[in-house]
Amino acid sequence: MGMSVTISAATDRDAEQILKLQYLCYQPEAALYDDYSIQPLTQTLEDLRAELSDACVVVARLGTEVVGAVRGTADADGTAAIGKLVVHPRMQRHGLGGRLLTAVEERLTAERSAKRYRLSAGHRSEGNLRLYRSHGYTPVGTEQLNPRLSLVTLEKDAATAEGTPQDYVASA
């Protein structure tokens, strides 16, 4: 009756759906900080396709529809930068963001030898900060980007990633 959400590596064919989902999901963030010029809202399809070829990109699918995505890269020192974690509004609050976060961490460790993970969120993005903390991330710094926005940076060692909570499969 219902379909399960599957998580897998993104392909170039997912680019348009990821970009549309990203645009939808970043609207509340832009409104929260009164800034609609943020990079997730101005990224082009060409730029996203380049990211897909260089980064570790994971998507969540409900049937053929992309309902979530996250990206990560790792530098030579083993620090993985994770970003643009998005989940379709109708799929939020079912553990899907946590599943995507765990999946990208696992891929970054296996494929890019990540030793630690780093991500950022706006200081007023309480839902995002709560998710990251619940998955073992701790704040390591705050940078004020403009009078309306301070960026909180959080980190977690890859060695502690195995202890993060496993989320259930969301069904529709």
Side-chain angles (χ1 to χ4, degrees), residues 22-42:
Q22 175 179 303
Y23 188 82
L24 173 69
C25 292
Y26 272 92
Q27 293 296 320
E29 287 290 301
L32 184 62
Y33 298 103
D34 193 28
D35 184 357
Y36 289 86
S37 66
I38 58 176
Q39 195 273 344
L41 295 181
T42 60

Side-chain angles (χ1 to χ4, degrees), residues 6-137:
T6 59
I7 295 180
S8 61
T11 68
D12 190 60
R13 292 186 314 268
D14 297 320
E16 285 184 44
Q17 285 191 65
I18 293 169
L19 192 63
K20 287 177 184 175
L21 180 62
Q22 175 179 303
Y23 188 82
L24 173 69
C25 292
Y26 272 92
Q27 293 296 320
E29 287 290 301
L32 184 62
Y33 298 103
D34 193 28
D35 184 357
Y36 289 86
S37 66
I38 58 176
Q39 195 273 344
L41 295 181
T42 60
Q43 185 174 31
T44 66
L45 184 58
E46 181 179 296
D47 290 341
L48 176 57
R49 287 188 194 282
E51 252 186 275
L52 284 170
S53 67
D54 293 337
C56 176
V57 183
V58 178
V59 294
R61 290 185 178 84
L62 182 61
T64 59
E65 179 187 6
V66 173
V67 294
V70 64
R71 301 170 220 182
T73 59
D75 64 19
D77 294 330
T79 300
I82 297 174
K84 294 189 181 106
L85 173 60
V86 293
V87 174
H88 193 287
R90 76 173 190 275
M91 301 296 293
Q92 292 176 3
R93 309 198 65 64
H94 294 287
L96 190 51
R99 288 181 58 208
L100 283 163
L101 189 56
T102 298
V104 78
E105 289 171 352
E106 289 171 354
R107 286 200 54 212
L108 286 164
T109 298
E111 298 172 14
R112 311 278 173 112
S113 303
K115 296 178 181 143
R116 77 194 61 72
Y117 313 115
R118 180 178 296 147
L119 43 75
S120 300
H123 70 286
R124 286 187 263 167
S125 302
E126 285 303 319
N128 298 342
L129 293 168
R130 189 171 34 256
L131 171 68
Y132 302 149
R133 286 186 189 115
S134 76
H135 281 266
Y137 286 83

